[in-house]
Amino acid sequence: MDNNFYITTPIYYPSAKPHMGHAYSSILADFFARFKRIQGFKVYFLTGTDEHGQKIQRAAEKKGMEPKKFCDEISKTFFDLSKTLNLSNNDFIRTTEERHKKSVEHLWKILEKKNEIYLSKYSGWYSVSDEAFYSEDEIEIKDTKKISKISGSQVEWVEEESFFFKLSKWQEPLLKFYSENPNFILPESRKNEVISFVKGGLKDLSVSRKSFSWGIKVPSNKDHVIYVWLDALTNYISALNYPITDDNLYKSFWPASLHLIGKDILRFHAVYWPAFLLAANITPPKRVYGHGWILSGEEKMSKSKGNILDPLEIIQNYGIDPLRYYLIKEVSFGNDGNISKDKLENCINSDLANNYGNLCQRVISFIEKNLSLEMPKNYKFNNEDTKTLKVYENNFNNLVNSIDIQNINFYVNFIQDQLFSANKYFNDQEPWKKKEDTDRLNTILYVSLELIRKISIMLYPIIPDTSLKVLKIFNIEEKNIDFNSIKVHESLKNIKKLTKISILFKKIEKND
Ligand code: MSP
């Protein structure tokens, strides 16, 4: 059990085509999935689309399309994006699939049976854009429109018969759950937000809608469709074949290790979801991590604001690995981050082309010229060599521990420092002046290759394609990448011949 790792992205609304914010969540989740795999974990990585509810129904109506057909089209663009982003997901779930419907109906029946659901009437504010109910004190007026103070989305008044989930009853158990599982919500600042929201008092939650039909019907009352968030959240277990609990997937991977989400949907994941699960007597997930937003200027990137940076366009112009590297490095994880083409280009030129690409190219070209690509033998480390190599071993536990709390900034900074240090090592050691001293020459080249190997393994979760290209020098294939081996200094000694590589990143010509 402990060797299994289950990670999820939010499932995206196929109301419009994917944008950079969606790409960001997915790339980050892929980083963790790949990292855990090379660490030796058995990983299950899930993504998909959230296809029911009024938001989708209205978007389909606007296009004059039947909702399922509309979803089929847009969900496919999210599916295609998962390929373009080079995600290593094991499954792509759509909430319109039969397997999902069955799980949701089952969960509903359990909640009903346990007396956690009752029929009443909802009258209050609803945002179709957020698919969220808001109380009076969460509403303000802006330009004569009523909007949610939390998301800024417009709200409308809803009055209809509705089933309610007894959320109020779960206030104390939730607070107890948070205090017993102090790392359930990360980062810390978000956890405090959630706890004060729950301490402020929880009202029962409307969990069905009657005024439209696009959704999963309430099993006992077909006039109602199940609230889209109860439907959507269940994807995390329906993809594991819940309620078939003796199935390998559910048994091996639930509770999820990490739901990676944007901070905008924290309340649903950190309050409603564990409450539904506790009420159904299902163990809640181990961690919900709410990352920040990608901003365009000062605002969240979103369709309604019209400030979208198209990931496909960026990938077409620069490639997928530069985008992955840039998003993972540049947006300080947990916080909001501003992105721009200019910063992306600087990042490609300095980090990827200069620091990484050049290092690999210089070392391998030098070995080609002077050793005909034979693996340098008879090396003997001096103090400087050992010191440079040992940094990985010395920081190993810190690296693993920081990833365990999703602090990827530490990981990324470490890589940058090591790229700097490896380049400095090669420059300072001046192998081109040591051609007479073959032992020393061999040692310098051996150490340089070890550094390239270690750095490339560390870069694998960030830029998998490029890292695999470089690891080909040593004949290391994807299935053999082992993060634990960054601690080892003599892993290359049995290799006889090295393989040449082509240019990794082209520098971008800049006009300024
Ligand atoms: N369908 C719901 C999630 C259900 S999960 C059970 C939903 N979908 S969404 O398409 O609106 O967006 C989902 C996620 O996309 C956000 O939580 C966030 O992770 C990501 N992002 C969307 N816009 C974003 C930015 N501008 N920046 C970063 N991520 C953002 O909510």
Side-chain angles (χ1 to χ4, degrees), residues 13-24:
Y13 289 127
S15 51
K17 64 181 184 25
H19 62 67
M20 198 59 89
H22 304 130
Y24 180 66

Side-chain angles (χ1 to χ4, degrees), residues 3 34-41 392-394 396-397 399-400 411 450 453-454 457-458 480-491:
N3 205 35
R34 287 180 187 270
F35 178 83
K36 282 290 173 188
R37 279 195 204 101
I38 64 169
Q39 213 193 343
F41 281 72
Y392 294 82
E393 196 181 328
N394 296 342
F396 187 82
N397 288 340
L399 287 164
V400 167
Y411 186 88
E450 264 298 355
R453 181 189 69 88
K454 289 167 195 272
I457 288 179
M458 291 201 67
N480 299 325
I481 301 178
D482 176 6
F483 183 74
N484 303 299
S485 76
I486 67 162
K487 286 192 282 192
V488 181
H489 311 318
E490 300 193 52
S491 71

Side-chain angles (χ1 to χ4, degrees), residues 435-463:
K435 290 187 187 162
E436 305 307 311
D437 180 355
T438 46
D439 278 3
R440 187 61 202 148
L441 177 70
N442 272 307
T443 305
I444 296 167
L445 298 177
Y446 184 91
V447 172
S448 303
L449 287 169
E450 264 298 355
L451 295 175
I452 290 178
R453 181 189 69 88
K454 289 167 195 272
I455 290 172
S456 301
I457 288 179
M458 291 201 67
L459 280 171
Y460 168 77
I462 308 179
I463 46 172

Side-chain angles (χ1 to χ4, degrees), residues 9-15 19-25 49-50 55 78 129-130 229 232-236 260-265 269 291-295 299-302:
T9 71
I11 48 170
Y12 305 106
Y13 289 127
S15 51
H19 62 67
M20 198 59 89
H22 304 130
Y24 180 66
S25 291
T49 43
D50 178 1
K55 179 181 173 111
F78 279 90
S129 165
D130 305 340
W229 272 100
L233 288 159
T234 308
N235 92 90
Y236 300 131
L260 187 70
I261 55 162
K263 62 179 183 180
D264 47 334
I265 54 175
H269 283 80
H291 68 66
W293 285 338
I294 303 277
L295 304 176
E299 287 192 310
K300 182 185 174 216
M301 208 176 281
S302 76

Side-chain angles (χ1 to χ4, degrees), residues 469-481:
K469 249 193 225 168
V470 176
L471 289 171
K472 272 215 176 89
I473 296 178
F474 316 108
N475 223 348
I476 299 176
E477 289 175 28
E478 190 164 25
K479 61 178 190 304
N480 299 325
I481 301 178

